[in-house]
PDB file of all heavy atoms in Angstrom:
ATOM      1  N   MET A 239      -8.071  -4.403  -0.480  1.00 77.00           N
ATOM      2  CA  MET A 239      -7.010  -5.077  -1.216  1.00 77.00           C
ATOM      3  C   MET A 239      -5.812  -4.188  -1.343  1.00 77.00           C
ATOM      4  O   MET A 239      -4.661  -4.631  -1.211  1.00 77.00           O
ATOM      5  CB  MET A 239      -7.505  -5.535  -2.603  1.00 77.00           C
ATOM      6  CG  MET A 239      -6.441  -6.254  -3.409  1.00 77.00           C
ATOM      7  SD  MET A 239      -5.830  -7.712  -2.590  1.00 77.00           S
ATOM      8  CE  MET A 239      -7.232  -8.822  -2.795  1.00 77.00           C
ATOM      9  N   VAL A 240      -6.002  -2.876  -1.585  1.00 82.00           N
ATOM     10  CA  VAL A 240      -4.864  -1.987  -1.724  1.00 82.00           C
ATOM     11  C   VAL A 240      -4.107  -1.827  -0.449  1.00 82.00           C
ATOM     12  O   VAL A 240      -2.876  -1.828  -0.396  1.00 82.00           O
ATOM     13  CB  VAL A 240      -5.317  -0.614  -2.288  1.00 82.00           C
ATOM     14  CG1 VAL A 240      -4.150   0.377  -2.283  1.00 82.00           C
ATOM     15  CG2 VAL A 240      -5.849  -0.752  -3.710  1.00 82.00           C
ATOM     16  N   SER A 241      -4.822  -1.734   0.692  1.00 85.00           N
ATOM     17  CA  SER A 241      -4.126  -1.631   1.996  1.00 85.00           C
ATOM     18  C   SER A 241      -3.305  -2.868   2.250  1.00 85.00           C
ATOM     19  O   SER A 241      -2.185  -2.796   2.772  1.00 85.00           O
ATOM     20  CB  SER A 241      -5.128  -1.403   3.124  1.00 85.00           C
ATOM     21  OG  SER A 241      -5.997  -2.524   3.293  1.00 85.00           O
ATOM     22  N   ARG A 242      -3.840  -4.029   1.882  1.00 88.00           N
ATOM     23  CA  ARG A 242      -3.096  -5.281   2.039  1.00 88.00           C
ATOM     24  C   ARG A 242      -1.840  -5.276   1.164  1.00 88.00           C
ATOM     25  O   ARG A 242      -0.765  -5.670   1.645  1.00 88.00           O
ATOM     26  CB  ARG A 242      -4.013  -6.470   1.680  1.00 88.00           C
ATOM     27  CG  ARG A 242      -3.319  -7.841   1.779  1.00 88.00           C
ATOM     28  CD  ARG A 242      -4.248  -8.923   1.348  1.00 88.00           C
ATOM     29  NE  ARG A 242      -3.534 -10.191   1.144  1.00 88.00           N
ATOM     30  CZ  ARG A 242      -4.034 -11.262   0.582  1.00 88.00           C
ATOM     31  NH1 ARG A 242      -5.297 -11.258   0.184  1.00 88.00           N
ATOM     32  NH2 ARG A 242      -3.333 -12.347   0.458  1.00 88.00           N
ATOM     33  N   LEU A 243      -1.990  -4.861  -0.091  1.00 91.00           N
ATOM     34  CA  LEU A 243      -0.805  -4.832  -0.973  1.00 91.00           C
ATOM     35  C   LEU A 243       0.226  -3.838  -0.441  1.00 91.00           C
ATOM     36  O   LEU A 243       1.435  -4.095  -0.523  1.00 91.00           O
ATOM     37  CB  LEU A 243      -1.246  -4.418  -2.385  1.00 91.00           C
ATOM     38  CG  LEU A 243      -2.090  -5.413  -3.144  1.00 91.00           C
ATOM     39  CD1 LEU A 243      -2.611  -4.788  -4.452  1.00 91.00           C
ATOM     40  CD2 LEU A 243      -1.320  -6.696  -3.414  1.00 91.00           C
ATOM     41  N   LEU A 244      -0.219  -2.715   0.089  1.00 92.00           N
ATOM     42  CA  LEU A 244       0.696  -1.744   0.653  1.00 92.00           C
ATOM     43  C   LEU A 244       1.438  -2.302   1.840  1.00 92.00           C
ATOM     44  O   LEU A 244       2.667  -2.141   1.959  1.00 92.00           O
ATOM     45  CB  LEU A 244      -0.062  -0.470   1.055  1.00 92.00           C
ATOM     46  CG  LEU A 244       0.765   0.664   1.688  1.00 92.00           C
ATOM     47  CD1 LEU A 244       1.880   1.102   0.723  1.00 92.00           C
ATOM     48  CD2 LEU A 244      -0.108   1.851   2.043  1.00 92.00           C
ATOM     49  N   HIS A 245       0.742  -2.996   2.749  1.00 94.00           N
ATOM     50  CA  HIS A 245       1.399  -3.596   3.869  1.00 94.00           C
ATOM     51  C   HIS A 245       2.428  -4.677   3.454  1.00 94.00           C
ATOM     52  O   HIS A 245       3.483  -4.787   4.017  1.00 94.00           O
ATOM     53  CB  HIS A 245       0.380  -4.229   4.807  1.00 94.00           C
ATOM     54  CG  HIS A 245      -0.451  -3.213   5.535  1.00 94.00           C
ATOM     55  ND1 HIS A 245      -1.709  -3.493   5.980  1.00 94.00           N
ATOM     56  CD2 HIS A 245      -0.235  -1.919   5.860  1.00 94.00           C
ATOM     57  CE1 HIS A 245      -2.210  -2.387   6.553  1.00 94.00           C
ATOM     58  NE2 HIS A 245      -1.328  -1.446   6.489  1.00 94.00           N
ATOM     59  N   LEU A 246       2.076  -5.450   2.395  1.00 94.00           N
ATOM     60  CA  LEU A 246       3.007  -6.457   1.898  1.00 94.00           C
ATOM     61  C   LEU A 246       4.265  -5.791   1.314  1.00 94.00           C
ATOM     62  O   LEU A 246       5.370  -6.347   1.459  1.00 94.00           O
ATOM     63  CB  LEU A 246       2.315  -7.297   0.805  1.00 94.00           C
ATOM     64  CG  LEU A 246       1.291  -8.338   1.309  1.00 94.00           C
ATOM     65  CD1 LEU A 246       0.514  -8.920   0.120  1.00 94.00           C
ATOM     66  CD2 LEU A 246       1.954  -9.405   2.146  1.00 94.00           C
ATOM     67  N   LEU A 247       4.077  -4.637   0.666  1.00 94.00           N
ATOM     68  CA  LEU A 247       5.226  -3.901   0.151  1.00 94.00           C
ATOM     69  C   LEU A 247       6.154  -3.469   1.280  1.00 94.00           C
ATOM     70  O   LEU A 247       7.377  -3.605   1.196  1.00 94.00           O
ATOM     71  CB  LEU A 247       4.740  -2.700  -0.640  1.00 94.00           C
ATOM     72  CG  LEU A 247       5.832  -1.826  -1.233  1.00 94.00           C
ATOM     73  CD1 LEU A 247       6.582  -2.532  -2.348  1.00 94.00           C
ATOM     74  CD2 LEU A 247       5.235  -0.518  -1.751  1.00 94.00           C
ATOM     75  N   VAL A 248       5.568  -2.961   2.386  1.00 95.00           N
ATOM     76  CA  VAL A 248       6.380  -2.563   3.526  1.00 95.00           C
ATOM     77  C   VAL A 248       7.145  -3.759   4.089  1.00 95.00           C
ATOM     78  O   VAL A 248       8.346  -3.674   4.408  1.00 95.00           O
ATOM     79  CB  VAL A 248       5.508  -1.923   4.611  1.00 95.00           C
ATOM     80  CG1 VAL A 248       6.324  -1.562   5.846  1.00 95.00           C
ATOM     81  CG2 VAL A 248       4.761  -0.702   4.071  1.00 95.00           C
ATOM     82  N   ILE A 249       6.450  -4.897   4.181  1.00 95.00           N
ATOM     83  CA  ILE A 249       7.096  -6.136   4.695  1.00 95.00           C
ATOM     84  C   ILE A 249       8.252  -6.522   3.762  1.00 95.00           C
ATOM     85  O   ILE A 249       9.338  -6.920   4.213  1.00 95.00           O
ATOM     86  CB  ILE A 249       6.072  -7.253   4.760  1.00 95.00           C
ATOM     87  CG1 ILE A 249       5.082  -7.021   5.941  1.00 95.00           C
ATOM     88  CG2 ILE A 249       6.779  -8.610   4.938  1.00 95.00           C
ATOM     89  CD1 ILE A 249       5.743  -7.068   7.317  1.00 95.00           C
ATOM     90  N   ASP A 250       8.041  -6.396   2.471  1.00 93.00           N
ATOM     91  CA  ASP A 250       9.089  -6.798   1.501  1.00 93.00           C
ATOM     92  C   ASP A 250      10.335  -5.923   1.670  1.00 93.00           C
ATOM     93  O   ASP A 250      11.455  -6.392   1.665  1.00 93.00           O
ATOM     94  CB  ASP A 250       8.532  -6.688   0.086  1.00 93.00           C
ATOM     95  CG  ASP A 250       9.233  -7.600  -0.899  1.00 93.00           C
ATOM     96  OD1 ASP A 250       9.775  -8.618  -0.442  1.00 93.00           O
ATOM     97  OD2 ASP A 250       9.246  -7.305  -2.101  1.00 93.00           O
ATOM     98  N   VAL A 251      10.116  -4.596   1.824  1.00 94.00           N
ATOM     99  CA  VAL A 251      11.237  -3.687   2.050  1.00 94.00           C
ATOM    100  C   VAL A 251      11.961  -4.057   3.338  1.00 94.00           C
ATOM    101  O   VAL A 251      13.188  -4.118   3.413  1.00 94.00           O
ATOM    102  CB  VAL A 251      10.731  -2.212   2.089  1.00 94.00           C
ATOM    103  CG1 VAL A 251      11.834  -1.292   2.531  1.00 94.00           C
ATOM    104  CG2 VAL A 251      10.183  -1.788   0.754  1.00 94.00           C
ATOM    105  N   LEU A 252      11.159  -4.247   4.386  1.00 95.00           N
ATOM    106  CA  LEU A 252      11.720  -4.562   5.692  1.00 95.00           C
ATOM    107  C   LEU A 252      12.493  -5.854   5.696  1.00 95.00           C
ATOM    108  O   LEU A 252      13.633  -5.948   6.223  1.00 95.00           O
ATOM    109  CB  LEU A 252      10.595  -4.629   6.724  1.00 95.00           C
ATOM    110  CG  LEU A 252      10.993  -4.805   8.201  1.00 95.00           C
ATOM    111  CD1 LEU A 252      11.888  -3.671   8.665  1.00 95.00           C
ATOM    112  CD2 LEU A 252       9.719  -4.864   9.067  1.00 95.00           C
ATOM    113  N   ALA A 253      11.933  -6.879   5.086  1.00 92.00           N
ATOM    114  CA  ALA A 253      12.602  -8.212   5.046  1.00 92.00           C
ATOM    115  C   ALA A 253      13.937  -8.133   4.303  1.00 92.00           C
ATOM    116  O   ALA A 253      14.938  -8.732   4.714  1.00 92.00           O
ATOM    117  CB  ALA A 253      11.699  -9.238   4.416  1.00 92.00           C
ATOM    118  N   THR A 254      13.953  -7.404   3.206  1.00 90.00           N
ATOM    119  CA  THR A 254      15.162  -7.269   2.402  1.00 90.00           C
ATOM    120  C   THR A 254      16.250  -6.526   3.225  1.00 90.00           C
ATOM    121  O   THR A 254      17.442  -6.918   3.219  1.00 90.00           O
ATOM    122  CB  THR A 254      14.889  -6.515   1.122  1.00 90.00           C
ATOM    123  OG1 THR A 254      13.874  -7.180   0.364  1.00 90.00           O
ATOM    124  CG2 THR A 254      16.127  -6.415   0.245  1.00 90.00           C
ATOM    125  N   CYS A 255      15.862  -5.475   3.930  1.00 93.00           N
ATOM    126  CA  CYS A 255      16.803  -4.719   4.750  1.00 93.00           C
ATOM    127  C   CYS A 255      17.349  -5.591   5.893  1.00 93.00           C
ATOM    128  O   CYS A 255      18.563  -5.545   6.204  1.00 93.00           O
ATOM    129  CB  CYS A 255      16.158  -3.490   5.351  1.00 93.00           C
ATOM    130  SG  CYS A 255      15.801  -2.180   4.127  1.00 93.00           S
ATOM    131  N   VAL A 256      16.488  -6.450   6.478  1.00 93.00           N
ATOM    132  CA  VAL A 256      16.942  -7.348   7.534  1.00 93.00           C
ATOM    133  C   VAL A 256      17.957  -8.340   6.981  1.00 93.00           C
ATOM    134  O   VAL A 256      19.004  -8.586   7.595  1.00 93.00           O
ATOM    135  CB  VAL A 256      15.732  -8.073   8.174  1.00 93.00           C
ATOM    136  CG1 VAL A 256      16.235  -9.203   9.102  1.00 93.00           C
ATOM    137  CG2 VAL A 256      14.861  -7.109   8.942  1.00 93.00           C
ATOM    138  N   ALA A 257      17.646  -8.923   5.857  1.00 89.00           N
ATOM    139  CA  ALA A 257      18.544  -9.902   5.235  1.00 89.00           C
ATOM    140  C   ALA A 257      19.922  -9.298   4.925  1.00 89.00           C
ATOM    141  O   ALA A 257      20.964  -9.920   5.139  1.00 89.00           O
ATOM    142  CB  ALA A 257      17.937 -10.494   3.968  1.00 89.00           C
ATOM    143  N   LEU A 258      19.929  -8.069   4.467  1.00 88.00           N
ATOM    144  CA  LEU A 258      21.200  -7.379   4.165  1.00 88.00           C
ATOM    145  C   LEU A 258      21.989  -7.149   5.428  1.00 88.00           C
ATOM    146  O   LEU A 258      23.240  -7.188   5.430  1.00 88.00           O
ATOM    147  CB  LEU A 258      20.923  -6.072   3.446  1.00 88.00           C
ATOM    148  CG  LEU A 258      20.410  -6.190   2.006  1.00 88.00           C
ATOM    149  CD1 LEU A 258      20.037  -4.796   1.457  1.00 88.00           C
ATOM    150  CD2 LEU A 258      21.473  -6.825   1.116  1.00 88.00           C
ATOM    151  N   ARG A 259      21.308  -6.861   6.524  1.00 88.00           N
ATOM    152  CA  ARG A 259      22.016  -6.621   7.793  1.00 88.00           C
ATOM    153  C   ARG A 259      22.610  -7.876   8.384  1.00 88.00           C
ATOM    154  O   ARG A 259      23.718  -7.872   8.919  1.00 88.00           O
ATOM    155  CB  ARG A 259      21.053  -5.971   8.832  1.00 88.00           C
ATOM    156  CG  ARG A 259      21.032  -4.457   8.703  1.00 88.00           C
ATOM    157  CD  ARG A 259      19.800  -3.880   9.406  1.00 88.00           C
ATOM    158  NE  ARG A 259      19.863  -2.402   9.332  1.00 88.00           N
ATOM    159  CZ  ARG A 259      19.684  -1.701   8.229  1.00 88.00           C
ATOM    160  NH1 ARG A 259      19.419  -2.330   7.104  1.00 88.00           N
ATOM    161  NH2 ARG A 259      19.724  -0.388   8.230  1.00 88.00           N
ATOM    162  N   ILE A 260      21.881  -8.973   8.244  1.00 87.00           N
ATOM    163  CA  ILE A 260      22.399 -10.252   8.765  1.00 87.00           C
ATOM    164  C   ILE A 260      23.566 -10.719   7.897  1.00 87.00           C
ATOM    165  O   ILE A 260      24.567 -11.241   8.385  1.00 87.00           O
ATOM    166  CB  ILE A 260      21.292 -11.286   8.830  1.00 87.00           C
ATOM    167  CG1 ILE A 260      20.252 -10.843   9.865  1.00 87.00           C
ATOM    168  CG2 ILE A 260      21.828 -12.674   9.197  1.00 87.00           C
ATOM    169  CD1 ILE A 260      19.013 -11.728   9.938  1.00 87.00           C
ATOM    170  N   GLY A 261      23.381 -10.609   6.581  1.00 82.00           N
ATOM    171  CA  GLY A 261      24.480 -10.881   5.663  1.00 82.00           C
ATOM    172  C   GLY A 261      24.902 -12.331   5.586  1.00 82.00           C
ATOM    173  O   GLY A 261      24.069 -13.256   5.494  1.00 82.00           O
ATOM    174  N   SER A 262      26.208 -12.551   5.613  1.00 78.00           N
ATOM    175  CA  SER A 262      26.774 -13.912   5.318  1.00 78.00           C
ATOM    176  C   SER A 262      26.258 -15.021   6.196  1.00 78.00           C
ATOM    177  O   SER A 262      26.172 -16.159   5.672  1.00 78.00           O
ATOM    178  CB  SER A 262      28.299 -13.838   5.424  1.00 78.00           C
ATOM    179  OG  SER A 262      28.686 -13.331   6.697  1.00 78.00           O
ATOM    180  N   PRO A 263      25.894 -14.862   7.471  1.00 77.00           N
ATOM    181  CA  PRO A 263      25.406 -15.983   8.242  1.00 77.00           C
ATOM    182  C   PRO A 263      24.167 -16.647   7.655  1.00 77.00           C
ATOM    183  O   PRO A 263      23.893 -17.807   7.910  1.00 77.00           O
ATOM    184  CB  PRO A 263      25.074 -15.371   9.610  1.00 77.00           C
ATOM    185  CG  PRO A 263      26.025 -14.215   9.738  1.00 77.00           C
ATOM    186  CD  PRO A 263      26.094 -13.676   8.350  1.00 77.00           C
ATOM    187  N   LEU A 264      23.405 -15.889   6.844  1.00 74.00           N
ATOM    188  CA  LEU A 264      22.193 -16.465   6.258  1.00 74.00           C
ATOM    189  C   LEU A 264      22.494 -17.338   5.011  1.00 74.00           C
ATOM    190  O   LEU A 264      21.727 -18.186   4.656  1.00 74.00           O
ATOM    191  CB  LEU A 264      21.257 -15.352   5.806  1.00 74.00           C
ATOM    192  CG  LEU A 264      20.340 -14.730   6.875  1.00 74.00           C
ATOM    193  CD1 LEU A 264      19.506 -13.638   6.249  1.00 74.00           C
ATOM    194  CD2 LEU A 264      19.446 -15.808   7.481  1.00 74.00           C
ATOM    195  N   GLN A 265      23.673 -17.090   4.372  1.00 74.00           N
ATOM    196  CA  GLN A 265      23.925 -17.743   3.098  1.00 74.00           C
ATOM    197  C   GLN A 265      23.905 -19.256   3.180  1.00 74.00           C
ATOM    198  O   GLN A 265      23.308 -19.958   2.335  1.00 74.00           O
ATOM    199  CB  GLN A 265      25.252 -17.251   2.537  1.00 74.00           C
ATOM    200  CG  GLN A 265      25.272 -15.767   2.178  1.00 74.00           C
ATOM    201  CD  GLN A 265      24.138 -15.393   1.250  1.00 74.00           C
ATOM    202  OE1 GLN A 265      23.887 -16.102   0.269  1.00 74.00           O
ATOM    203  NE2 GLN A 265      23.434 -14.294   1.533  1.00 74.00           N
ATOM    204  N   PRO A 266      24.629 -19.914   4.150  1.00 79.00           N
ATOM    205  CA  PRO A 266      24.593 -21.398   4.218  1.00 79.00           C
ATOM    206  C   PRO A 266      23.166 -21.903   4.423  1.00 79.00           C
ATOM    207  O   PRO A 266      22.806 -22.947   3.855  1.00 79.00           O
ATOM    208  CB  PRO A 266      25.483 -21.678   5.422  1.00 79.00           C
ATOM    209  CG  PRO A 266      26.348 -20.478   5.572  1.00 79.00           C
ATOM    210  CD  PRO A 266      25.498 -19.332   5.193  1.00 79.00           C
ATOM    211  N   LEU A 267      22.381 -21.209   5.263  1.00 74.00           N
ATOM    212  CA  LEU A 267      21.020 -21.668   5.502  1.00 74.00           C
ATOM    213  C   LEU A 267      20.186 -21.613   4.237  1.00 74.00           C
ATOM    214  O   LEU A 267      19.430 -22.536   3.926  1.00 74.00           O
ATOM    215  CB  LEU A 267      20.343 -20.792   6.592  1.00 74.00           C
ATOM    216  CG  LEU A 267      20.911 -20.928   8.006  1.00 74.00           C
ATOM    217  CD1 LEU A 267      20.261 -19.912   8.924  1.00 74.00           C
ATOM    218  CD2 LEU A 267      20.653 -22.346   8.556  1.00 74.00           C
ATOM    219  N   LEU A 268      20.299 -20.500   3.500  1.00 73.00           N
ATOM    220  CA  LEU A 268      19.511 -20.357   2.293  1.00 73.00           C
ATOM    221  C   LEU A 268      19.973 -21.368   1.231  1.00 73.00           C
ATOM    222  O   LEU A 268      19.098 -21.929   0.517  1.00 73.00           O
ATOM    223  CB  LEU A 268      19.702 -18.927   1.716  1.00 73.00           C
ATOM    224  CG  LEU A 268      19.141 -17.795   2.580  1.00 73.00           C
ATOM    225  CD1 LEU A 268      19.465 -16.458   1.967  1.00 73.00           C
ATOM    226  CD2 LEU A 268      17.639 -17.981   2.707  1.00 73.00           C
ATOM    227  N   GLN A 269      21.241 -21.651   1.124  1.00 78.00           N
ATOM    228  CA  GLN A 269      21.698 -22.617   0.147  1.00 78.00           C
ATOM    229  C   GLN A 269      21.219 -24.029   0.521  1.00 78.00           C
ATOM    230  O   GLN A 269      20.788 -24.784  -0.366  1.00 78.00           O
ATOM    231  CB  GLN A 269      23.255 -22.594   0.124  1.00 78.00           C
ATOM    232  CG  GLN A 269      23.823 -23.508  -0.977  1.00 78.00           C
ATOM    233  CD  GLN A 269      23.337 -23.067  -2.369  1.00 78.00           C
ATOM    234  OE1 GLN A 269      23.437 -21.908  -2.736  1.00 78.00           O
ATOM    235  NE2 GLN A 269      22.794 -24.042  -3.130  1.00 78.00           N
ATOM    236  N   GLN A 270      21.275 -24.345   1.802  1.00 79.00           N
ATOM    237  CA  GLN A 270      20.769 -25.662   2.230  1.00 79.00           C
ATOM    238  C   GLN A 270      19.280 -25.796   1.949  1.00 79.00           C
ATOM    239  O   GLN A 270      18.793 -26.841   1.536  1.00 79.00           O
ATOM    240  CB  GLN A 270      21.056 -25.886   3.708  1.00 79.00           C
ATOM    241  CG  GLN A 270      20.700 -27.268   4.217  1.00 79.00           C
ATOM    242  CD  GLN A 270      21.046 -27.492   5.693  1.00 79.00           C
ATOM    243  OE1 GLN A 270      21.528 -26.562   6.314  1.00 79.00           O
ATOM    244  NE2 GLN A 270      20.805 -28.690   6.192  1.00 79.00           N
ATOM    245  N   MET A 271      18.537 -24.708   2.211  1.00 75.00           N
ATOM    246  CA  MET A 271      17.078 -24.718   1.934  1.00 75.00           C
ATOM    247  C   MET A 271      16.811 -24.956   0.436  1.00 75.00           C
ATOM    248  O   MET A 271      15.969 -25.790   0.107  1.00 75.00           O
ATOM    249  CB  MET A 271      16.489 -23.392   2.360  1.00 75.00           C
ATOM    250  CG  MET A 271      14.957 -23.273   2.293  1.00 75.00           C
ATOM    251  SD  MET A 271      14.348 -21.634   2.686  1.00 75.00           S
ATOM    252  CE  MET A 271      14.943 -21.428   4.344  1.00 75.00           C
ATOM    253  N   LYS A 272      17.553 -24.302  -0.418  1.00 76.00           N
ATOM    254  CA  LYS A 272      17.362 -24.472  -1.862  1.00 76.00           C
ATOM    255  C   LYS A 272      17.736 -25.897  -2.255  1.00 76.00           C
ATOM    256  O   LYS A 272      17.043 -26.491  -3.121  1.00 76.00           O
ATOM    257  CB  LYS A 272      18.214 -23.457  -2.606  1.00 76.00           C
ATOM    258  CG  LYS A 272      17.770 -22.054  -2.504  1.00 76.00           C
ATOM    259  CD  LYS A 272      18.653 -21.082  -3.284  1.00 76.00           C
ATOM    260  CE  LYS A 272      18.160 -19.659  -3.132  1.00 76.00           C
ATOM    261  NZ  LYS A 272      19.057 -18.691  -3.868  1.00 76.00           N
ATOM    262  N   ASP A 273      18.827 -26.416  -1.707  1.00 80.00           N
ATOM    263  CA  ASP A 273      19.235 -27.806  -2.068  1.00 80.00           C
ATOM    264  C   ASP A 273      18.155 -28.800  -1.659  1.00 80.00           C
ATOM    265  O   ASP A 273      17.840 -29.737  -2.421  1.00 80.00           O
ATOM    266  CB  ASP A 273      20.554 -28.142  -1.378  1.00 80.00           C
ATOM    267  CG  ASP A 273      21.717 -27.340  -1.964  1.00 80.00           C
ATOM    268  OD1 ASP A 273      21.578 -26.776  -3.040  1.00 80.00           O
ATOM    269  OD2 ASP A 273      22.783 -27.246  -1.283  1.00 80.00           O
ATOM    270  N   ASN A 274      17.614 -28.603  -0.476  1.00 80.00           N
ATOM    271  CA  ASN A 274      16.569 -29.555  -0.016  1.00 80.00           C
ATOM    272  C   ASN A 274      15.304 -29.446  -0.836  1.00 80.00           C
ATOM    273  O   ASN A 274      14.677 -30.468  -1.144  1.00 80.00           O
ATOM    274  CB  ASN A 274      16.242 -29.253   1.472  1.00 80.00           C
ATOM    275  CG  ASN A 274      17.383 -29.666   2.413  1.00 80.00           C
ATOM    276  OD1 ASN A 274      18.231 -30.470   2.025  1.00 80.00           O
ATOM    277  ND2 ASN A 274      17.380 -29.082   3.579  1.00 80.00           N
ATOM    278  N   LEU A 275      14.934 -28.249  -1.241  1.00 75.00           N
ATOM    279  CA  LEU A 275      13.761 -28.082  -2.073  1.00 75.00           C
ATOM    280  C   LEU A 275      13.977 -28.672  -3.434  1.00 75.00           C
ATOM    281  O   LEU A 275      13.079 -29.319  -4.033  1.00 75.00           O
ATOM    282  CB  LEU A 275      13.402 -26.584  -2.206  1.00 75.00           C
ATOM    283  CG  LEU A 275      12.813 -25.910  -0.985  1.00 75.00           C
ATOM    284  CD1 LEU A 275      12.709 -24.405  -1.204  1.00 75.00           C
ATOM    285  CD2 LEU A 275      11.423 -26.491  -0.692  1.00 75.00           C
ATOM    286  N   ARG A 276      15.195 -28.486  -3.980  1.00 79.00           N
ATOM    287  CA  ARG A 276      15.492 -29.017  -5.295  1.00 79.00           C
ATOM    288  C   ARG A 276      15.455 -30.569  -5.272  1.00 79.00           C
ATOM    289  O   ARG A 276      14.951 -31.202  -6.198  1.00 79.00           O
ATOM    290  CB  ARG A 276      16.868 -28.567  -5.764  1.00 79.00           C
ATOM    291  CG  ARG A 276      17.182 -28.864  -7.213  1.00 79.00           C
ATOM    292  CD  ARG A 276      18.520 -28.258  -7.631  1.00 79.00           C
ATOM    293  NE  ARG A 276      18.519 -26.821  -7.623  1.00 79.00           N
ATOM    294  CZ  ARG A 276      19.208 -26.086  -6.738  1.00 79.00           C
ATOM    295  NH1 ARG A 276      19.946 -26.718  -5.797  1.00 79.00           N
ATOM    296  NH2 ARG A 276      19.163 -24.789  -6.772  1.00 79.00           N
ATOM    297  N   ALA A 277      16.005 -31.134  -4.235  1.00 79.00           N
ATOM    298  CA  ALA A 277      15.995 -32.604  -4.084  1.00 79.00           C
ATOM    299  C   ALA A 277      14.586 -33.143  -3.978  1.00 79.00           C
ATOM    300  O   ALA A 277      14.219 -34.188  -4.552  1.00 79.00           O
ATOM    301  CB  ALA A 277      16.795 -33.009  -2.852  1.00 79.00           C
ATOM    302  N   LYS A 278      13.714 -32.425  -3.278  1.00 73.00           N
ATOM    303  CA  LYS A 278      12.313 -32.849  -3.117  1.00 73.00           C
ATOM    304  C   LYS A 278      11.559 -32.723  -4.441  1.00 73.00           C
ATOM    305  O   LYS A 278      10.770 -33.548  -4.801  1.00 73.00           O
ATOM    306  CB  LYS A 278      11.640 -31.998  -2.037  1.00 73.00           C
ATOM    307  CG  LYS A 278      10.179 -32.354  -1.805  1.00 73.00           C
ATOM    308  CD  LYS A 278       9.628 -31.469  -0.674  1.00 73.00           C
ATOM    309  CE  LYS A 278       8.122 -31.755  -0.475  1.00 73.00           C
ATOM    310  NZ  LYS A 278       7.859 -33.155  -0.130  1.00 73.00           N
ATOM    311  N   ARG A 279      11.860 -31.618  -5.151  1.00 65.00           N
ATOM    312  CA  ARG A 279      11.095 -31.364  -6.402  1.00 65.00           C
ATOM    313  C   ARG A 279      11.357 -32.360  -7.461  1.00 65.00           C
ATOM    314  O   ARG A 279      10.477 -32.735  -8.208  1.00 65.00           O
ATOM    315  CB  ARG A 279      11.496 -29.926  -6.864  1.00 65.00           C
ATOM    316  CG  ARG A 279      10.667 -29.446  -8.050  1.00 65.00           C
ATOM    317  CD  ARG A 279      11.052 -28.002  -8.367  1.00 65.00           C
ATOM    318  NE  ARG A 279      10.813 -27.138  -7.243  1.00 65.00           N
ATOM    319  CZ  ARG A 279      11.582 -26.082  -6.940  1.00 65.00           C
ATOM    320  NH1 ARG A 279      12.625 -25.807  -7.714  1.00 65.00           N
ATOM    321  NH2 ARG A 279      11.288 -25.317  -5.902  1.00 65.00           N
ATOM    322  N   TYR A 280      12.607 -32.833  -7.534  1.00 59.00           N
ATOM    323  CA  TYR A 280      12.968 -33.695  -8.607  1.00 59.00           C
ATOM    324  C   TYR A 280      13.162 -35.171  -8.173  1.00 59.00           C
ATOM    325  O   TYR A 280      13.677 -36.010  -8.951  1.00 59.00           O
ATOM    326  CB  TYR A 280      14.248 -33.226  -9.308  1.00 59.00           C
ATOM    327  CG  TYR A 280      14.106 -31.847  -9.901  1.00 59.00           C
ATOM    328  CD1 TYR A 280      14.734 -30.755  -9.347  1.00 59.00           C
ATOM    329  CD2 TYR A 280      13.238 -31.645 -11.011  1.00 59.00           C
ATOM    330  CE1 TYR A 280      14.573 -29.487  -9.896  1.00 59.00           C
ATOM    331  CE2 TYR A 280      13.087 -30.399 -11.528  1.00 59.00           C
ATOM    332  CZ  TYR A 280      13.725 -29.311 -10.977  1.00 59.00           C
ATOM    333  OH  TYR A 280      13.550 -28.041 -11.535  1.00 59.00           O
ATOM    334  N   ALA A 281      12.731 -35.475  -6.948  1.00 53.00           N
ATOM    335  CA  ALA A 281      12.898 -36.832  -6.465  1.00 53.00           C
ATOM    336  C   ALA A 281      11.911 -37.766  -7.214  1.00 53.00           C
ATOM    337  O   ALA A 281      10.828 -37.382  -7.574  1.00 53.00           O
ATOM    338  CB  ALA A 281      12.588 -36.883  -4.953  1.00 53.00           C
TER     339      ALA A 281
END
Side-chain angles (χ1 to χ4, degrees):
M239 180 59 74
V240 173
S241 65
R242 177 183 169 190
L243 292 173
L244 179 58
H245 290 154
L246 287 171
L247 179 68
V248 177
I249 289 294
D250 207 25
V251 171
L252 185 58
T254 304
C255 289
V256 170
L258 290 173
R259 273 163 177 71
I260 294 175
S262 56
L264 278 180
Q265 296 305 316
L267 291 174
L268 294 176
Q269 186 59 52
Q270 186 177 2
M271 186 185 299
K272 290 180 181 178
D273 291 343
N274 290 340
L275 286 172
R276 191 176 295 110
K278 179 179 177 60
R279 187 176 300 146
Y280 299 110

